[in-house]
Amino acid sequence: MAKPLKAEFLDRLILIVGKDFVISDSDARKLYASDSTEDFVFMPDVVVKPDTVEEVSDIMKLCYEFDIPLTPRGAGTGLSGACLPVSGGLILSTERLNRILAIDEKNFQATVEPGVINEVFRNAVEAVGLLYPPDPASKGSCFLGGNIAHNSGGPKAVKYGVTRDYVLNLEVVLPTGEIIWTGADTLKNSTGYSLTHLMIGSEGTLGIVTKIVFRLLTKPTHDLLMLASFANAGNACAAVAEIFRTGVTPSALELMERKAVELSAFYLNETFDHKEGMEIYLLIEVDGFDPDLLMKDCEKISEALERFGVDDLLFMETFDQKEKIWKIRRAIGEKVKAHSIYKEEDTVVSRAYLPELLAGVKEIGSRYGFESICYGHAGDGNLHVNIIKGEMSDENWKGKHLEEGIREIFRLCKKLGGTISGEHGIGLVQKKYMNEVFEPMQIDLMRKIKAVFDPKGLLNPGKIFP
Ligand code: MLT
Ligand code: ZN
């Protein structure tokens, strides 16, 4: 644990950012003690809110001088506990670094700070006809810096890729305080190791991102949305890979178990008409520029669905219908958590193995005595498994019993060629499972990289490594 902060350290923080942005009051600090992961609380000793890269650099240097652990934090919407200050010390909040610095319409690029909310950025680029595709479920509140820390995905990833695919260059403050740019603002770059891609997904353990250069696309003008209902979960999962074999790449292909939809609609106070016997839904979107072509794509998709025994296929005709079903889908994670004590696993396999993954999760659940509510990005083979405490005893829930069940799920992922997180990251909660997918040699390589950047191990300690 961190030592109590010295008065000199706090005075010098105030000199760097001003007293209004050094938070020592315990009620105010408490707001930074948790994120969206389970019910963890780790109190930081102080919260600091810099406004410039120079201030970030000075804070880092000061922490290095005084040996104070520093945990960077965006909006706190993370699902692996990566921004929790597990060793106390200082939280560096990026909330004031929230400027969109430039949208370069000629080059289809934008430069932003890490505290910009994903949706604010999307709306700004859409206003000039451009598209920034990565759209995590928390897009209305999550910060772009956090998206980079976790290499976030979201429903559009199936066609457009994940955060990594849109980052060209990063300004980063290293743990020792130096400010660097990781690459170049170019679409191509074959110049040495990619520090840019090393930073993406490193969960704020190697440096703090202070500026991001993104590439952008032209915003599609049309989209069509269908909801396919299945009585048989295996059929729904098997239909997913078949859809791509028609030659159509949907712009979203989401899976939702009935219970997930029920809970989300219930807590949102929305109606959803479940047909008798339906157990699982696929939400399928296509987008583009030609409505006739999109209609043909939907025909191909519906033929594929019919080959796999789809029971009902509904077109979302109006803007409001589309908004409602997307609202229900995006709220699932949050609403399932509102309903019960839970643990969320972020399994991912190649999409054709989705039937084995879902069936395996259910079989493991029945052996270990837990219910799971599954949903996620079927087109990416990325299944979010929300494990519900239900009737499980506290002893089994907190102890080795559940841990062993989760290990079995992860071993299944590995056996199917997949891994233990598709987009939520490792952070605090999954680090004990890293050895399921990596040999000691691989983890050791990662540790050595961390030590090169952060010789004292002060930046976001206690994350990723088992
Ligand atoms: C989602 O797909 O809904 C997100 O990854 C969020 C979550 O799973 O809670
Ligand atoms: Zn997701």
Side-chain angles (χ1 to χ4, degrees):
M1 289 301 282
K3 294 170 255 168
L5 301 180
K6 292 188 175 144
E8 186 197 344
F9 177 79
L10 292 170
D11 290 346
R12 284 179 52 191
L13 277 180
I14 291 170
L15 281 179
I16 296 169
V17 292
K19 70 172 174 14
D20 291 348
F21 303 109
V22 176
I23 315 298
S24 310
D25 167 75
S26 80
D27 282 347
R29 275 186 290 134
K30 201 155 188 239
L31 299 174
Y32 297 82
S34 302
D35 65 358
S36 303
T37 317
E38 300 176 31
D39 51 2
F40 295 105
V41 181
F42 291 96
M43 275 296 259
D45 296 311
V46 65
V47 177
V48 186
K49 303 179 184 181
D51 186 43
T52 64
V53 60
E54 290 79 16
E55 289 180 3
V56 174
S57 163
D58 287 346
I59 295 165
M60 293 280 242
K61 285 180 187 156
L62 193 65
C63 286
Y64 245 63
E65 186 184 329
F66 282 79
D67 288 332
I68 303 298
L70 184 158
T71 305
R73 179 182 171 104
T77 56
L79 298 165
S80 62
C83 71
L84 298 173
V86 292
S87 306
L90 182 147
I91 283 263
L92 186 149
S93 166
T94 57
E95 67 201 68
R96 291 174 71 218
L97 297 166
N98 62 355
R99 290 158 283 232
I100 297 176
L101 299 170
I103 298 177
D104 177 350
E105 292 175 56
K106 283 192 190 146
N107 283 310
F108 282 34
Q109 290 182 13
T111 306
V112 303
E113 292 184 328
V116 175
I117 291 174
N118 177 297
E119 195 161 53
V120 169
F121 179 54
R122 302 169 62 75
N123 292 344
V125 303
E126 285 186 15
V128 295
L130 297 175
L131 175 72
Y132 173 68
D135 62 341
S138 55
K139 67 178 178 175
S141 52
C142 64
F143 289 177
L144 291 166
N147 294 173
I148 287 179
H150 290 286
N151 189 25
S152 302
K156 300 272 180 206
V158 64
K159 175 170 176 181
Y160 291 104
V162 294
T163 304
R164 180 184 298 288
D165 300 308
Y166 293 88
V167 179
L168 298 178
N169 202 359
L170 294 170
E171 181 188 71
V172 175
V173 179
L174 300 179
T176 38
E178 293 90 348
I179 303 168
I180 61 159
W181 278 92
T182 56
D185 302 353
T186 50
L187 290 175
K188 297 169 89 175
N189 189 338
S190 179
T191 321
Y193 295 160
S194 174
L195 296 177
T196 309
H197 289 275
L198 185 55
M199 286 294 157
I200 300 164
S202 67
E203 303 189 7
T205 62
L206 299 179
I208 295 186
V209 170
T210 44
K211 285 188 192 73
I212 309 152
V213 182
F214 283 118
R215 79 180 178 99
L216 304 168
L217 304 177
T218 305
K219 182 178 157 38
T221 47
H222 294 81
D223 59 63
L224 296 176
L225 188 62
M226 298 182 285
L227 184 72
S229 314
F230 290 80
N232 182 298
N235 285 355
C237 290
V240 169
E242 185 69 10
I243 288 171
F244 292 84
R245 288 166 57 83
T246 66
V248 179
T249 300
S251 51
L253 207 179
E254 299 285 295
L255 175 149
M256 307 179 281
E257 283 192 315
R258 177 189 179 108
K259 189 77 188 274
V261 176
E262 274 171 359
L263 286 174
S264 183
F266 175 78
Y267 285 105
L268 286 169
N269 221 359
E270 291 282 0
T271 51
F272 184 96
D273 181 21
H274 295 279
K275 296 231 163 59
E276 176 89 29
M278 294 305 110
E279 283 307 320
I280 197 158
Y281 299 95
L282 295 179
L283 185 62
I284 310 161
E285 184 195 79
V286 290
D287 73 357
F289 299 87
D290 181 338
D292 296 333
L293 280 182
L294 293 183
M295 194 47 90
K296 287 196 181 113
D297 286 349
C298 285
E299 281 161 19
K300 287 186 197 161
I301 292 173
S302 68
E303 282 162 23
L305 293 169
E306 270 156 28
R307 287 199 287 281
F308 283 84
V310 66
D311 290 287
D312 191 47
L313 189 58
L314 196 68
F315 262 86
M316 304 288 139
E317 305 281 356
T318 66
F319 178 80
D320 286 350
Q321 282 174 330
K322 289 179 187 173
E323 284 292 288
K324 180 174 149 183
I325 191 73
W326 272 122
K327 187 171 158 198
I328 290 173
R329 161 60 191 97
R330 287 184 182 283
I332 290 174
E334 193 190 319
K335 301 308 176 193
V336 171
K337 290 163 201 169
H339 174 71
S340 167
I341 297 179
Y342 72 96
K343 283 189 192 295
E344 177 160 10
E345 311 310 328
D346 179 31
T347 61
V348 60
V349 295
S350 300
R351 68 169 80 96
Y353 301 131
L354 207 52
E356 286 89 334
L357 178 61
L358 184 64
V361 166
K362 297 298 170 186
E363 188 275 319
I364 294 166
S366 67
R367 266 191 294 118
Y368 281 83
F370 61 75
E371 185 195 353
S372 63
I373 300 182
C374 299
Y375 63 98
H377 317 291
D380 294 324
N382 187 190
L383 190 71
H384 300 321
V385 179
N386 257 323
I387 299 173
I388 301 301
K389 180 164 182 292
E391 303 296 308
M392 191 179 272
S393 69
D394 287 354
E395 196 191 335
N396 279 350
W397 180 258
K398 292 203 181 110
K400 287 278 166 209
H401 178 80
L402 180 61
E403 189 181 314
E404 200 43 46
I406 294 171
R407 276 190 192 281
E408 280 212 34
I409 293 177
F410 288 156
R411 282 178 197 148
L412 174 65
C413 291
K414 168 90 172 157
K415 197 174 118 206
L416 295 171
T419 191
I420 66 174
S421 177
E423 56 176 23
H424 295 169
I426 297 302
L428 176 67
V429 289
Q430 308 298 20
K431 62 181 186 171
K432 63 180 168 218
Y433 304 111
M434 282 283 271
N435 61 359
E436 296 297 341
V437 282
F438 290 118
E439 299 296 327
M441 174 67 117
Q442 293 155 303
I443 294 174
D444 192 45
L445 272 175
M446 291 189 211
R447 280 190 201 278
K448 284 178 180 152
I449 292 170
K450 164 75 174 161
V452 168
F453 281 81
D454 183 11
K456 287 190 177 181
L458 291 176
L459 184 62
N460 206 1
K463 309 295 160 54
I464 297 180
F465 300 105

